[in-house]
Amino acid sequence: MQRVHVAVGVILDPQQNILLTRRHGHVHQGGLWEFPGGKVEPGESLATALARELREELDIAPERSSPLLAIHHDYGDKSVLLDVHVVWQFSGEPRGLEGQPLAWVPVAELQDYAFPAANEPIIPAIRELLG
Ligand SMILES: Nc1nc2c([nH]c(=O)n2[C@H]2C[C@H](O)[C@@H](COP(=O)(O)OP(=O)(O)OP(=O)(O)O)O2)c(=O)[nH]1
Ligand SMILES: [Mg+2]
């Protein structure tokens, strides 16, 4: 089975809204909302992978981040290890470089968005962190 290691960013603005992007319809877990990020390449550190993915997908650079949690999930066709980090500060103005829709969402409204199954523990962890 395919196993992928993924660097994921919970990106906060100064008002503590969280940046979500919607996955394209044709890809794995397509059509669902996600926290931006992508696959860690061989030999790459998590910090480097997160910075590269946020540059490629959103044209921003993380300036302060901290680990939130790691999640193993088996989708049957694919298993993922999501290494989730909170990005407290970034430079640049995020835009969907891959044509993906973006939304800044208050913590209290995250539950209204449909996420991949692996993401289940992320919203409780954010609530715990931000109160
Ligand atoms: N980025 C991200 N991926 C997630 C989340 N939840 C979740 O199950 N995934 C899964 C979907 C994919 O199988 C995998 C991430 O792959 P990806 O498609 O973002 O990888 P990538 O950005 O490197 O894209 P590509 O170059 O392979 O097209 O992790 C999430 O919240 N954010
Ligand atoms: Mg991605």
Side-chain angles (χ1 to χ4, degrees), residues 1-5 28 39 73-81:
M1 196 207 309
Q2 204 188 347
R3 305 202 64 189
V4 293
H5 187 192
H28 187 242
K39 297 179 195 79
H73 185 83
D74 184 355
Y75 283 112
D77 54 337
K78 189 174 188 175
S79 83
V80 294
L81 167 57

Side-chain angles (χ1 to χ4, degrees), residues 4 6-8 23 28-29 33-39 53 57 75 78 80 82 116 118-119 122:
V4 293
V6 184
V8 172
R23 295 180 64 79
H28 187 242
Q29 303 298 310
W33 290 88
E34 67 171 5
F35 301 93
K39 297 179 195 79
E53 288 289 342
E57 296 185 355
Y75 283 112
K78 189 174 188 175
V80 294
L82 305 182
N119 289 35
I122 299 179

Side-chain angles (χ1 to χ4, degrees), residues 75-130:
Y75 283 112
D77 54 337
K78 189 174 188 175
S79 83
V80 294
L81 167 57
L82 305 182
D83 254 302
V84 186
H85 288 67
V86 178
V87 177
W88 300 96
Q89 234 174 289
F90 57 88
S91 58
E93 190 57 44
R95 51 201 179 96
L97 292 182
E98 299 173 339
Q100 72 280 33
L102 264 59
W104 282 108
V105 178
V107 178
E109 291 171 22
L110 286 173
Q111 67 210 38
D112 302 338
Y113 290 75
F115 293 97
N119 289 35
E120 201 189 302
I122 299 179
I123 294 175
I126 294 171
R127 285 210 194 98
E128 177 105 336
L129 180 76
L130 300 179

Side-chain angles (χ1 to χ4, degrees), residues 2-35:
Q2 204 188 347
R3 305 202 64 189
V4 293
H5 187 192
V6 184
V8 172
V10 172
I11 302 165
L12 301 177
D13 74 5
Q15 290 73 42
Q16 299 201 331
N17 297 305
I18 292 164
L19 185 59
L20 303 181
T21 52
R22 195 151 56 79
R23 295 180 64 79
H24 283 120
H26 57 280
V27 301
H28 187 242
Q29 303 298 310
L32 299 173
W33 290 88
E34 67 171 5
F35 301 93

